[in-house]
Amino acid sequence: MTTNVTVEALEIIQKRQRLHCQKIGRRNLNLRLDALKQFKRLLIENEERWLFALNEDLGKPALEAYATEVAFLLNELDHTMKYLAKWVKPTVKRRLLLSGLEKTSVMAEPFGSILILSPWNYPLQLALGPALGAIASGNSVVLKPSEYAPAVSQLLAELIPQYFAPDLFFVVEGDGEVAQMLTNMRWDFVFFTGSPQTGTKVYQAAAKHLTPVALELGGKNPCIVDDTKLNPDTVKQIVWSKFLNAGQTCIAPDTVFVPRAYFTQFLEQAKQQIIEFYGERPIESKDYGRLISLKHLAHVEDFLKDGEIFYGGEVDQATCFMAPTLMTHVVAGSALAKDEIFGPILPIIPYDSIEEIVSQYQQLPVPLVVYLFTKDKQHIQYIQEELESGALSVNQLMVHVTSPNAPFGGKGQSGLGNYHGEASIKTFTYQRTLYQKKTPLLLPQQFPPYSEGALAALKRFRRIIF
């Protein structure tokens, strides 16, 4: 266990955070907005340090790191600050009944002290994104960043205390043992981003305390291209989105399906696009990232045996490098065919009908997102009706996650719950009802002993009694 924070010390922090939430955070909107401004300062004032740390951990180019991590968070902050007052405003409804005037107010109440367990693939965005949503909702946060992105984790641990009191936001660094220690504690809410295997363990630990959870997991996301949308721009989008962050993106297209008549054409276009992006030797490109660790590199490399390499496949252990790789002739039933790749390998599979793809994916866990490139409205309707997914994105890849109006999350093995924008407020609060009623007189038929005509009157007037 690589942390100096004990359970006893964390329980004290929890107590202080719950007190902060009860006494200050629940009703003080200005305090929440001030905290969001602090998030913004944290990002802007340390921008170069964030970009450097992201490069250290994942080899992310500055533009890619800024776009997918810093800019993403800044946009989320701006949107949240603009609409927060509207989102948290109680909803009030009234009814006039025979028994009096009824008023029902429903308020979004924060849970209290929230544990956030964040992953390594987008170690800044996926740590601070849930945290800003939780704090905007009136909660306090204990964040455990991934130890597999040590530069970002250390920077979070260093900087957050400079911008936030521990009563509001506290960071715990450590390994898997620390994560297990944290999940065994009693929290008011747990938010986890990572693999389905670890997510299951988090869920089980939370269930011991009946703690609500949100799980943001992965998925084997299909990308279906029909003959109406097979063009160079589509290929460019697919290659860019797959090899962004060296394929280590939960919403990356996992497998591409193209009409059989255009299979060879697509392969050649995808190969040329990789060369245009990263050159003949991607290992020398400053615009291409690295895998997070040798362990993960070995895991991804193992997929190469499950098909034929059409292009790429080079590996350099010294730099955790794997070249952008196109694969064909995927072995049926293999890991490459069934499991999320989470690396720079793109299987390309020819198809004769969209129905056969749907039939295949109906037998697999629900993906986080289904991508469809088409001009055919019937194809869109068919996929929407026949394939479940956290999202269906038509003629766009991955950018749906940047929309503050699009709740992000999955179903089943791809996730439980969602967040971003207003969805974060709904996730990190519970609905509390305030019921008030002005009753000028009591209806005598309400109370025993019941008269013979009470039941008949109730049946006749029930809509204006209750």
Side-chain angles (χ1 to χ4, degrees):
M1 183 179 296
T2 58
T3 183
N4 294 323
V5 182
T6 64
V7 171
E8 291 75 18
L10 282 168
E11 287 175 343
I12 293 172
I13 290 170
Q14 276 185 328
K15 185 176 180 180
R16 290 169 56 184
Q17 289 195 344
R18 288 176 177 131
L19 184 63
H20 177 274
C21 176
Q22 286 292 322
K23 299 298 183 182
I24 304 174
R26 290 174 62 197
R27 293 286 172 263
N28 195 324
L29 180 61
N30 288 333
L31 185 70
R32 301 189 200 182
L33 292 171
D34 287 343
L36 296 180
K37 292 175 184 176
Q38 286 294 91
F39 270 102
K40 201 165 185 178
R41 285 186 55 225
L42 172 68
L43 291 168
I44 293 173
E45 293 174 0
N46 302 283
E47 178 185 307
E48 293 302 320
R49 297 189 68 186
W50 295 124
L51 299 184
F52 181 82
L54 289 163
N55 184 266
E56 282 283 296
D57 285 334
L58 288 148
K60 290 194 180 191
L63 187 147
E64 181 180 309
Y66 184 83
T68 62
E69 309 244 18
V70 178
F72 181 97
L73 289 167
L74 289 173
N75 287 349
E76 180 82 358
L77 281 163
D78 289 341
H79 186 76
T80 301
M81 286 189 285
K82 182 177 181 180
Y83 292 104
L84 182 60
K86 176 183 177 182
W87 293 340
V88 300
K89 184 178 180 180
T91 58
V92 180
K93 295 185 179 181
R94 294 175 174 84
R95 289 195 307 166
L96 181 61
L97 304 171
L98 282 178
S99 55
L101 179 62
E102 173 189 270
K103 179 182 177 182
T104 305
S105 303
V106 180
M107 297 156 287
E109 291 280 344
F111 283 101
S113 182
I114 290 182
L115 174 64
I116 294 176
L117 303 165
S118 61
W120 50 260
N121 58 322
Y122 290 86
L124 182 62
Q125 181 212 128
L126 297 179
L128 295 188
L132 74 87
I135 289 174
S137 303
N139 302 281
S140 296
V141 167
V142 171
L143 168 67
K144 195 298 189 171
S146 173
E147 69 274 22
Y148 293 106
V152 173
S153 178
Q154 291 166 17
L155 194 54
L156 286 164
E158 174 193 339
L159 293 178
I160 284 176
Q162 299 177 23
Y163 291 83
F164 301 95
D167 295 10
L168 185 63
F169 196 0
F170 186 77
V171 177
V172 179
E173 286 195 284
D175 55 16
E177 285 188 50
V178 176
Q180 185 175 358
M181 175 191 78
L182 289 167
T183 55
N184 285 333
M185 294 175 62
R186 183 187 296 273
W187 299 91
D188 299 308
F189 192 97
V190 175
F191 189 100
F192 170 81
T193 305
S195 69
Q197 294 77 17
T198 306
T200 300
K201 295 178 182 178
V202 171
Y203 199 7
Q204 290 170 341
K208 295 176 183 178
H209 306 294
L210 297 180
T211 300
V213 301
L215 305 175
E216 300 298 338
L217 310 176
K220 196 165 184 65
N221 311 312
C223 178
I224 304 167
V225 184
D226 72 10
D227 54 6
T228 69
K229 200 63 177 175
L230 192 63
N231 56 55
D233 286 344
T234 296
V235 176
K236 179 177 286 190
Q237 275 202 67
I238 291 171
V239 170
W240 166 78
S241 61
K242 177 60 184 183
F243 300 113
L244 181 78
N245 199 30
Q248 300 164 117
T249 307
C250 62
I251 55 170
D254 185 275
T255 304
V256 175
F257 297 87
V258 297
R260 191 174 300 277
Y262 300 95
F263 180 60
T264 302
Q265 174 187 334
F266 184 93
L267 285 170
E268 290 296 333
Q269 288 181 344
K271 172 184 173 181
Q272 290 305 312
Q273 193 63 66
I274 292 173
I275 295 171
E276 286 185 28
F277 282 167
Y278 308 115
E280 296 279 359
R281 287 179 52 78
I283 194 170
E284 297 174 356
S285 172
K286 296 180 180 179
D287 298 321
Y288 182 69
R290 296 294 182 266
L291 275 74
I292 190 66
S293 66
L294 286 173
K295 180 181 178 182
H296 187 57
L297 175 63
H299 170 72
V300 176
E301 188 178 5
D302 200 45
F303 286 114
L304 296 177
K305 71 180 189 304
D306 293 337
E308 296 181 10
I309 298 173
F310 175 78
Y311 183 73
E314 298 85 7
V315 171
D316 179 52
Q317 293 187 349
T319 58
C320 280
F321 167 85
M322 175 180 279
T325 301
L326 306 176
M327 292 192 67
T328 61
H329 299 90
V330 176
V331 176
S334 65
L336 185 60
K338 297 188 300 182
D339 299 339
E340 181 183 13
I341 298 168
F342 217 67
I345 296 175
L346 181 62
I348 302 171
I349 297 177
Y351 71 88
D352 298 307
S353 70
I354 287 181
E355 287 76 12
E356 70 186 54
I357 304 170
V358 168
S359 177
Q360 174 186 340
Y361 270 82
Q362 284 174 338
Q363 309 307 312
L364 296 174
V366 175
L368 196 52
V369 56
V370 171
Y371 295 111
L372 175 63
F373 282 85
T374 184
K375 295 180 181 178
D376 191 329
K377 292 182 180 180
Q378 290 184 337
H379 281 172
I380 298 172
Q381 183 177 357
Y382 175 69
I383 294 297
Q384 185 175 9
E385 292 177 353
E386 297 297 327
L387 274 187
E388 290 186 296
S389 61
L392 169 60
S393 181
V394 179
N395 300 329
Q396 291 290 335
L397 281 156
M398 303 213 304
V399 295
H400 69 283
V401 77
T402 66
S403 172
N405 299 314
F408 177 78
K411 178 189 176 186
Q413 290 193 34
S414 60
L416 171 66
N418 48 46
Y419 71 122
H420 291 176
E422 187 177 7
S424 289
I425 307 302
K426 293 179 178 179
T427 290
F428 291 115
T429 59
Y430 67 96
Q431 289 189 322
R432 185 184 185 193
T433 298
L434 172 61
Y435 183 83
Q436 301 173 81
K437 188 175 182 182
K438 294 181 179 179
T439 306
L441 55 90
L442 295 176
L443 299 177
Q445 295 88 348
Q446 177 181 348
F447 304 101
Y450 302 118
S451 66
E452 292 185 4
L455 179 58
L458 175 60
K459 290 181 178 181
R460 182 177 180 183
F461 298 110
R462 62 176 174 78
R463 292 188 179 184
I464 55 175
I465 293 175
F466 297 117

